[in-house]
Amino acid sequence: MNGTVRRHVSRGEGFALGLIATGAISVAVAALVAVVRAGIEIFGESPTVRMPVAGGDVPGLSAVPDITASNYASADVTFTSLPAGVSWMLLLEQALPALATIGVCIVAWWLGVSLMRARPFRPAMSHAIGVVACLVLAGGVLGQLLGAFGRAMLVDDLAASSSEVTDVFWILLVELDLAPVGWGFALALVAASFAIGARLQRETELLV
């Protein structure tokens, strides 16, 4: 039996890994472009913000027999301009999750290249995945909070000129999606696995 260890991947595996790595970089670029477009929209003229609506009825569905109630959950509102603090919060609401996406894609590209070279268990890989885990967890939760507080500041600013604003929009509405927390914990576990794998790889190489 041949006891040599294969130090390279097959041509098919290399093609698949290269395709995944290329796709990861493409997604990272798309996320970056989306953030730039969001910044242009938010800081540009007549920005449009999706605002949470409090109890907006849908009269067009009131006559449908199988529907007992219907309400608008949000409305796209176009403003002449936004306060600077609100603009930055709304931008960070989109930029922080996008930054986490870019980090995940970069690590995926790096992992794909490392797998093509048959050396995925590098010490720096576990550190990179750990940093990305923190970005996913913090970016996802903090981005949602900043968006909610930014809209609350916008409602407060509008309420100074019209008391009816608080009857239409929520003064503060935070609906946390905890999926980033789960993904962050999962990535942290992957980072720990790579750290253990790197240690075992070093020990194996010392024995050979």
Side-chain angles (χ1 to χ4, degrees):
M1 183 176 63
N2 189 358
T4 60
V5 179
R6 191 178 70 170
R7 295 291 183 179
H8 60 84
V9 298
S10 66
R11 181 175 299 179
E13 292 169 340
F15 176 79
L17 291 170
L19 191 63
I20 293 172
T22 303
I25 290 299
S26 300
V27 172
V29 172
L32 181 60
V33 171
V35 171
V36 172
R37 291 182 61 182
I40 294 174
E41 169 68 21
I42 292 171
F43 288 95
E45 296 182 357
S46 301
T48 299
V49 180
R50 180 156 293 182
M51 302 290 293
V53 176
D57 295 330
V58 185
L61 298 176
S62 59
V64 180
D66 295 331
I67 296 178
T68 59
S70 57
N71 297 280
Y72 290 111
S74 62
D76 291 335
V77 184
T78 301
F79 298 88
T80 54
S81 62
L82 296 174
V86 173
S87 297
W88 281 108
M89 285 189 174
L90 294 179
L91 178 60
L92 287 173
E93 178 188 22
Q94 301 186 49
L96 290 177
L99 180 61
T101 299
I102 293 171
V104 170
C105 290
I106 291 175
V107 168
W109 169 82
W110 188 17
L111 180 58
V113 173
S114 298
L115 286 170
M116 291 171 66
R117 296 173 180 174
R119 287 191 60 85
F121 295 108
R122 303 171 183 232
M125 183 66 71
S126 62
H127 298 153
I129 298 176
V131 170
V132 170
C134 294
L135 283 176
V136 170
L137 197 154
V141 174
L142 186 59
Q144 295 177 69
L145 291 176
L146 286 174
F149 284 114
R151 288 175 176 83
M153 290 173 58
L154 187 55
V155 171
D156 184 66
D157 185 68
L158 293 172
S161 58
S162 176
S163 60
E164 297 179 357
V165 170
T166 54
D167 296 330
V168 178
F169 300 125
W170 287 97
I171 298 176
L172 176 63
L173 179 62
V174 181
E175 295 179 320
L176 279 180
D177 179 9
L178 296 179
V181 178
W183 284 112
F185 287 150
L187 286 171
L189 185 60
V190 173
S193 300
F194 269 82
I196 295 172
R199 177 174 57 81
L200 293 176
Q201 181 175 269
R202 288 195 304 270
E203 293 175 354
T204 301
E205 290 174 348
L206 290 174
L207 293 174
V208 175

